[in-house]
Amino acid sequence: MAFFHARTALYALLALVTITVFTGQHLVPPIDRDESRFAQASRQMLHSGDYVTIRFQDDLRAKKPAGIYWLQSASAALLGDADIASYRFVNLLALLVSIFILYHIGLRLYEPAISLAASAAFASGFLVLAESHLAKTDTVLMLLVMIQQWTLMRIYLDREKAATKLSSRWILFWAALAAGILVKGPIAPAIAILTIGSLILWHRGARWVRPLRIWRGLTLMAVMCLPWAILVTIDTDGAFLDIAVKGDFLPKVQSGQESHGAPPFTYLALFGLLLWPASMLLPSAALHVRAMLAHDSTRFLLAWFVPFWLMIELIPTKLPHYPLPVVPAAVLLLLWSVDRMATLSPVKQKLYLSGQYLFLALGMVFVAAVMAAAVIFGGQSVRLAVGMAGAALLLAGLALWQGHRWIQTGDYLHLMALFVAGMLVHFTIFSGVVPQLARVHVASGVAEHLASSANQPVAIAAAGYHEPSLVFLLGRDVLLVDSREAALFLAEAPDGVALVEARQQTAFLDMARRLGLRLAAPEQLSGYNMSKGQDVVILIYRREMFDATSDNE
């Protein structure tokens, strides 16, 4: 038990997380669509030297500010720009720092052993580990929000101290907030405003906010954010910010953007899975909400968590990663109840235990769904995919057993074993099952097929299948065209290759006849497009022997 009170245990946890996430980042192929767009745009930023305007191929990518692209392009410059893992590495670093910070936030709330458990619970969560495997903004944003909120929490908890002792904290708060804006726009300020506003309403006063030095802070934020905003506005004649606000932000808050709409309280329904296995503690935490409101530290965590959670529940657009910036607060609240007992009637005790076991069992249900996906999407790797899913099922069973032992004995070692087992479940899924879902990784299959071809194409055009992973794997010069343009492309590039999705084949061959092209018999690859939720067949056409005027479609 003494080991878990030592800082060495934290370093052991960080080492385990590094191994699991680093392995998965290298094994999982590029994922559509956001990750591949971020990585490709960062690669183009590195190659072009233009660190102001963000582009995907030749199109303006006005979805997010430049911060994440700066970080990813710097990582790719150091580690190599060909491998998707180079762009994901930023998120591994962000996750490790987040775990370290969460441990120190926990020290303000608990003894060191429970602080370590909070860090382990956080590091074993499905949502946290899933996002840390992808080259996107959300893990970095979570880290910046944690720095921002930890600084704000210290100001709030020390509000009775002399202002001179708090004089420098405002700099870190506003610097983290400004960096959050540069990574993902309004999310970090929204969390800060909701947290501060909630606590002002609770105390019916705002004196404790004075150490934030609001006017100085706004000046610092402007110094950090405005230069890029001005440069990108000049460079794009105002188009970037106009598209970012009117084409991305407003549609998300007004309606379900890009078919991602869902009813309110969808995240509440998914809570048990998003935070599993730590969600097993939810029934215990629910019993202590009143006690949480009576303590400054947990009151702050509630102000961090609840208002933002309600906001994203009410916004029509729903994506699984939206709750990530408040997951640290949720985990800390769950662990707050670990060493607190509640007196319950026999009936309530049964409901309480049933709730704990229900959340524990979600891991088994989730892994069973993963096994079904392995069977459906495994393709030629189905045996390995199912085998890895079976290993994950055994580990989920181990997690269930350790959770049961924790419920029965209250032994801290079983709680830590539960979180480690949960982490290994996710490691097996992300590093073992997902890379083997051959039917899902269509672009990877195409890239591997072309790389192994005896005749390497000098140019490539794709008709029908335009997923960003294809661009990342084949290069920014791959042409995304329609079926007729693909035929025209082969007429102009006799040593090129046309990737024609089967739904585009008829129109492609019709144009090939008109042009009098002679085409070799196509090679065929099949898979499943997760972005569109449909089966796809990719036909690889080259100019050669096959006469397109013959009746051979």
Side-chain angles (χ1 to χ4, degrees), residues 458-477:
V458 297
I460 303 171
Y465 186 79
H466 290 175
E467 295 304 324
S469 58
L470 194 70
V471 178
F472 180 81
L473 291 168
L474 299 182
R476 68 161 293 179
D477 293 331

Side-chain angles (χ1 to χ4, degrees), residues 389-421:
L393 192 63
L394 291 175
L395 288 168
L398 174 62
L400 183 61
W401 170 250
Q402 292 299 327
H404 165 71
R405 294 295 296 152
W406 157 255
I407 293 170
Q408 294 296 314
T409 67
D411 189 336
Y412 173 77
L413 292 175
H414 292 302
L415 185 64
M416 286 298 298
L418 165 66
F419 296 143
V420 171

Side-chain angles (χ1 to χ4, degrees), residues 1 24 29 34 111 200 205 214-215 306 317 331 402 502 520:
M1 189 68 173
D34 282 350
E111 63 178 16
I200 287 175
I214 292 178
W215 291 113
V306 175
T317 301
V331 170
Q402 292 299 327

